[in-house]
Amino acid sequence: MKVSKILIAVSTALVLAFTSCASTKVDRVSSDTQIDLSGYWNDSDVKIVCESLINDCISSPRIAKFEDQNGRAPNVKLGKFANKSSEHIDTKIVAQKFQTAIINSGVLEFVADNDQVEEIREEQSSQADFASVDTAAEMFNETGADWMLQGSVRTIVDTLDNQTVRTYYVEAQLIDVTTTKIIWQGENSEIKKYIKRAKVKA
């Protein structure tokens, strides 16, 4: 009986010792701090790429030309930003960052994207059935998009032994919905990473 109690005590002590050794430490850092842990796409890359492409987009002379001809800013719908890279990248973050910055610039007007529109149409249909005539949202009054913003992220990966170079190419286009003409196109290939990993000893 005493032996069992001793074994239990020793086991408990060992568990506590391992738990304390494996404790997690979290440090809060500024959102502007650039941290690369794995060498893959991260938040710093999103910021660098988007700032460059957004500035290029909103300064396009074709936007000013549209306003002169139509007396208003173009209406834009957010399309797909495809991930054509060699790794998992949430391109929705890139697309939303584009949309937010461009909306806040006041240069372009955005209409709801396809996912948002579906939910709004469901609400309109519900209001048509249940809301009062005076307060129900009218259907068939959506603002059509003049242009669509699309884009993609690609990578070129060069690997030799324990060394890797990853280059990211992010492109975006504004496309005329009626004519399918490309109104503006931008590309950023500033993100290039050299990753050297320690060799695993046999």
Side-chain angles (χ1 to χ4, degrees), residues 41-182:
W41 180 264
N42 60 33
D43 63 314
S44 296
D45 303 327
V46 174
K47 183 177 181 180
I48 293 169
V49 165
C50 286
E51 285 181 354
S52 169
L53 286 176
I54 290 166
N55 289 334
D56 187 40
C57 176
I58 61 179
S59 61
S60 171
R62 293 187 177 180
I63 296 176
K65 183 179 178 181
F66 182 97
E67 291 185 4
D68 291 340
Q69 293 176 340
N70 298 274
R72 61 174 177 82
N75 294 313
V76 183
K77 175 175 279 191
L78 183 62
K80 292 182 179 179
F81 270 62
N83 179 15
K84 298 181 180 180
S85 73
S86 58
E87 64 190 75
H88 171 73
I89 293 176
D90 187 349
T91 53
K92 188 72 173 178
I93 295 174
V94 180
Q96 289 294 339
K97 195 170 185 68
F98 259 84
Q99 178 174 274
T100 300
I102 294 173
I103 288 174
N104 292 339
S105 75
V107 174
L108 298 173
E109 299 288 342
F110 271 80
V111 297
D113 64 33
N114 289 337
D115 291 337
Q116 293 170 322
V117 164
E118 288 303 316
E119 187 173 3
I120 291 169
R121 286 174 182 168
E122 288 178 9
E123 175 61 20
Q124 289 174 344
S125 179
S126 175
Q127 288 189 21
D129 290 334
F130 301 107
S132 66
V133 176
D134 294 336
T135 62
E138 294 185 25
M139 302 180 73
F140 310 110
N141 280 302
E142 295 177 16
T143 299
D146 300 300
W147 300 342
M148 179 171 283
L149 176 64
Q150 296 178 329
S152 65
V153 181
R154 305 170 188 267
T155 52
I156 291 179
V157 182
D158 186 18
T159 300
L160 179 64
D161 297 330
N162 62 325
Q163 303 172 92
T164 301
V165 176
R166 307 182 68 87
T167 307
Y168 295 84
Y169 293 86
V170 182
E171 61 177 7
Q173 306 90 22
L174 280 172
I175 301 174
D176 190 303
V177 174
T178 302
T179 65
T180 69
K181 287 182 178 180
I182 298 176

Side-chain angles (χ1 to χ4, degrees), residues 36 39-42 45 164-166 191-195:
D36 279 284
Y40 291 106
W41 180 264
N42 60 33
D45 303 327
T164 301
V165 176
R166 307 182 68 87
I191 308 302
K192 189 170 187 176
K193 302 183 181 184
Y194 170 68
I195 306 130

